[in-house]
Amino acid sequence: MKLLIKKEFFLGWKWYNYLFFIFPVMILIPNYPLFTGMIYVFFFVTTLFPAFLSNNDYKFMSGLPIRRKDIVFSKYFDVLLGQSGTLILASIMILIKVFAIKETDIPLMDPNFAFVGMTLIEYAVFNLIFMPTYFSDLKLSKSILLSLLGFFISIGILELLVQVVPPLKTVLDTLDVVYIGWRIGVLVGGMVIYAGGSFLAFRLACKKFFRYNM
């Protein structure tokens, strides 16, 4: 497995794939919604995964003495790394925005734990749609379209709930320390959903790929 992941970095990733980790810096733009710094990770997927197909990577890997689920995981690792890297950098930008720039009142969600938890839920939705859909037939256009649609719908639902439900807005869309327990709860809930959803996405993708005729 280590060799497969190493292959991804040396043969799959190009220099421009790393550039997408710059986009969380957009969080520092004054009066800019936070979620805009989190969505560009999916351009990473749309530039990396087409290269796998054009290079006949799956056919090459299928001829090696490795399990199909190892092939799925090596590709899924790229997605998880892109998401986790984006989220870590975004969290650093949020800390800078709150404690250095001291900008806390912005459109939609304020920079806090709840926003990070909600982003994890939205990433889980993307993974649950993208992975099984993609590995059912290795067609990128359909899987990307459906997964991005699900991702943006989940953003809209979660943001809308926080903005229109007064109790949620009071405890989540704020930096008031009185309600910090609620925001940490959303963060922990998001971590659990992301971990569980990502594992389920992997299992479903493996089942789909087992049935795919290379």
Side-chain angles (χ1 to χ4, degrees):
M1 181 58 69
K2 290 182 180 178
L3 292 177
L4 286 179
I5 292 175
K6 185 182 292 187
K7 181 190 78 67
E8 294 299 306
F9 284 112
F10 285 99
L11 299 179
W13 289 49
K14 306 300 181 185
W15 64 269
Y16 50 79
N17 294 123
Y18 295 93
L19 295 180
F20 294 108
F21 291 111
I22 298 175
F23 285 103
V25 177
M26 295 178 66
I27 288 174
L28 300 180
I29 299 175
N31 296 314
Y32 217 64
L34 294 180
F35 76 86
T36 54
M38 314 302 292
I39 62 177
Y40 293 96
V41 65
F42 302 117
F43 288 109
F44 166 87
V45 176
T46 58
T47 57
L48 186 61
F49 276 72
F52 298 149
L53 297 174
S54 62
N55 295 334
N56 292 316
D57 196 37
Y58 296 103
K59 289 184 179 180
F60 167 75
M61 295 177 75
S62 66
L64 299 176
I66 55 178
R67 299 170 298 181
R68 283 206 170 192
K69 73 175 185 178
D70 293 334
I71 297 176
V72 173
F73 182 78
S74 68
K75 304 306 181 187
Y76 196 18
F77 181 82
D78 295 321
V79 178
L80 297 177
L81 182 62
Q83 292 172 348
S84 58
T86 296
L87 200 56
I88 289 171
L89 293 172
S91 298
I92 294 173
M93 296 302 108
I94 286 174
L95 291 174
I96 294 173
K97 194 175 188 73
V98 173
F99 294 105
I101 302 176
K102 299 188 182 302
E103 182 187 7
T104 57
D105 188 14
I106 59 176
L108 301 178
M109 283 290 295
D110 285 344
N112 58 38
F113 292 124
F115 168 76
V116 178
M118 288 166 55
T119 302
L120 284 167
I121 295 172
E122 293 151 8
Y123 282 174
V125 171
F126 176 88
N127 294 342
L128 280 167
I129 299 174
F130 175 74
M131 290 298 292
T133 307
Y134 176 71
F135 278 98
S136 65
D137 55 13
L138 298 184
K139 292 185 187 228
L140 191 62
S141 56
K142 179 179 71 174
S143 56
I144 282 290
L145 178 62
L146 292 176
S147 54
L148 284 181
L149 182 62
F151 174 70
F152 282 109
I153 288 175
S154 66
I155 289 179
I157 291 174
L158 292 176
E159 290 280 0
L160 184 63
L161 285 174
V162 172
Q163 299 305 317
V164 303
V165 179
L168 291 180
K169 186 170 181 62
T170 299
V171 300
L172 300 183
D173 190 17
T174 178
L175 291 176
D176 192 336
V177 294
V178 174
Y179 305 111
I180 192 171
W182 290 93
R183 298 193 295 277
I184 292 177
V186 173
L187 173 61
V188 173
M191 294 170 67
V192 171
I193 292 173
Y194 181 75
S198 296
F199 178 74
L200 178 59
F202 172 69
R203 293 294 300 272
L204 293 173
C206 288
K207 289 182 179 179
K208 295 287 187 180
F209 197 47
F210 288 151
R211 293 195 289 264
Y212 179 70
N213 185 5
M214 296 291 290

